[in-house]
Amino acid sequence: MEEKNPIQVSERIFNTIEYLAQYGPMGLLELSKGLNLNKTTVHRILNSLICMNYVKQDPETLKYSLSFKFCGIANQILSQNNIIDLARPYIKSLAEQTGETVHLVEIDGMNAVYIDKVEASQNVVRLVSMVGKTIPLFCSGVGKALMADMSDEKIKSIWEQSDIHKLTEYTITDFNEFMHLIQEIRKNGYSLDNEENELGVRCIAVSLRSFQGKPKYAISISAPKDRMTDEDLKRFKPMILDTKKRILQEMGQ
């Protein structure tokens, strides 16, 4: 008797789960056609999943669907995946690659709050930022990156609730000019802070969506302007975009 391929069996089980997750409740015949498997095989898979409480069958329609057990598992995964622990290896690597300070922030109302920071050890001149400190969304690289992932209506709401004033001579205080900048950020995939929040400091930033897909976090590379020239920004851009991609992949996005 030919032994079953354990990899093939596992693949069929997970394909069944993913198919039901994507298309919702369905009958045996419909599911068999969708998976391109015979009814006997699919029925066996479903019975196994029912026994383990991962799938349920409606007694009236006879359609199969995923159980809420998956929601419990998802919540456990989310509770164990602290964004700081998850992102730390990536922002540490980014700091080492660039030789500059990398921040991780979380949105907090009209502000962003620093929740992690990695400084490159070789630089003597360091930034005064610290974990727990807040920074306005409207005039920071991380804030603009986060806002660019929001709807125009949400951006306008944040703008109207913020204390808009010039922190430096470069701070943008005109909403139309700000929205033009937001469009550029959406097109480029990253934002810049050209001394808008603090004189002498520039940064490049990207947003990170939460596990629920909402704009919630952002990372930035920050440095004194003499170490963050336009040429430096060209070098840093692919690095920070790649870091964003890898973090989101780790988050399952």
Side-chain angles (χ1 to χ4, degrees):
M1 181 177 178
E2 185 180 354
E3 292 185 4
K4 293 181 179 178
N5 183 338
I7 296 177
Q8 184 185 63
V9 172
S10 298
E11 183 180 34
R12 287 175 174 177
I13 290 172
F14 283 106
N15 283 344
T16 302
I17 291 170
E18 291 175 358
Y19 199 82
L20 285 171
Q22 183 174 0
Y23 297 107
M26 61 181 62
L28 178 61
L29 181 59
E30 186 181 5
L31 188 55
S32 299
K33 288 181 178 179
L35 294 170
N36 196 27
L37 295 172
N38 63 60
K39 289 192 295 182
T40 302
T41 299
V42 176
H43 191 256
R44 186 167 57 246
I45 291 170
L46 290 169
N47 280 342
S48 296
L49 290 169
I50 288 172
C51 287
M52 299 175 68
N53 296 320
Y54 285 108
V55 165
K56 58 186 178 181
Q57 185 181 27
D58 189 298
E60 295 183 2
T61 66
L62 300 182
K63 289 186 176 182
Y64 297 90
S65 62
L66 298 182
S67 74
F68 288 110
K69 188 172 182 178
F70 284 100
C71 296
I73 292 173
N75 287 331
Q76 288 176 330
I77 293 170
L78 292 177
S79 67
Q80 294 165 10
N81 277 279
N82 183 297
I83 186 64
I84 297 174
D85 294 335
L86 186 150
R88 171 52 84 110
Y90 299 101
I91 66 173
K92 183 178 179 182
S93 174
L94 186 59
E96 291 170 351
Q97 290 178 62
T98 61
E100 300 298 348
T101 299
V102 178
H103 296 104
L104 172 66
V105 307
E106 181 175 351
I107 193 168
D108 181 23
M110 308 303 117
N111 301 301
V113 57
Y114 293 110
I115 59 175
D116 199 11
K117 172 184 177 180
V118 178
E119 289 184 310
S121 56
Q122 63 263 40
N123 282 322
V124 177
V125 179
R126 300 191 176 185
L127 304 178
V128 295
S129 58
M130 63 185 71
V131 173
K133 181 181 177 181
T134 59
I135 185 172
L137 294 177
F138 79 93
C139 62
S140 60
V142 287
K144 287 183 291 183
L146 281 161
M147 292 173 77
D149 265 354
M150 302 175 186
S151 66
D152 289 357
E153 292 75 18
K154 180 64 175 177
I155 294 172
K156 192 172 191 299
S157 174
I158 290 176
W159 182 273
E160 291 174 346
Q161 295 178 67
S162 300
D163 178 18
I164 306 297
H165 65 282
K166 282 190 171 291
L167 278 75
T168 76
E169 59 185 292
Y170 303 104
T171 306
I172 296 172
T173 56
D174 178 79
F175 183 68
N176 290 330
E177 183 181 355
F178 183 81
M179 287 305 297
H180 177 75
L181 191 60
I182 289 293
Q183 296 302 325
E184 288 295 311
I185 295 168
R186 288 170 174 167
K187 182 176 70 174
N188 296 329
Y190 63 89
S191 68
L192 300 176
D193 175 355
N194 287 306
E195 301 183 78
E196 296 158 57
N197 183 68
E198 182 181 349
L199 281 176
V201 177
R202 300 182 78 191
C203 87
I204 179 171
V206 293
S207 66
L208 297 171
R209 291 184 177 269
S210 67
F211 290 102
Q212 291 75 29
K214 298 180 180 180
K216 188 173 184 180
Y217 309 105
I219 55 175
S220 67
I221 307 168
S222 304
K225 65 178 182 179
D226 61 339
R227 293 206 310 261
M228 187 73 84
T229 64
D230 290 344
E231 286 301 312
D232 292 319
L233 288 171
K234 288 180 182 178
R235 288 193 301 109
F236 295 161
K237 181 181 76 170
M239 296 179 189
I240 197 169
L241 289 174
D242 181 64
T243 299
K244 172 179 178 173
K245 178 182 177 181
R246 290 188 290 139
I247 292 175
L248 291 180
Q249 285 176 339
E250 179 93 4
M251 296 171 72
Q253 299 184 35

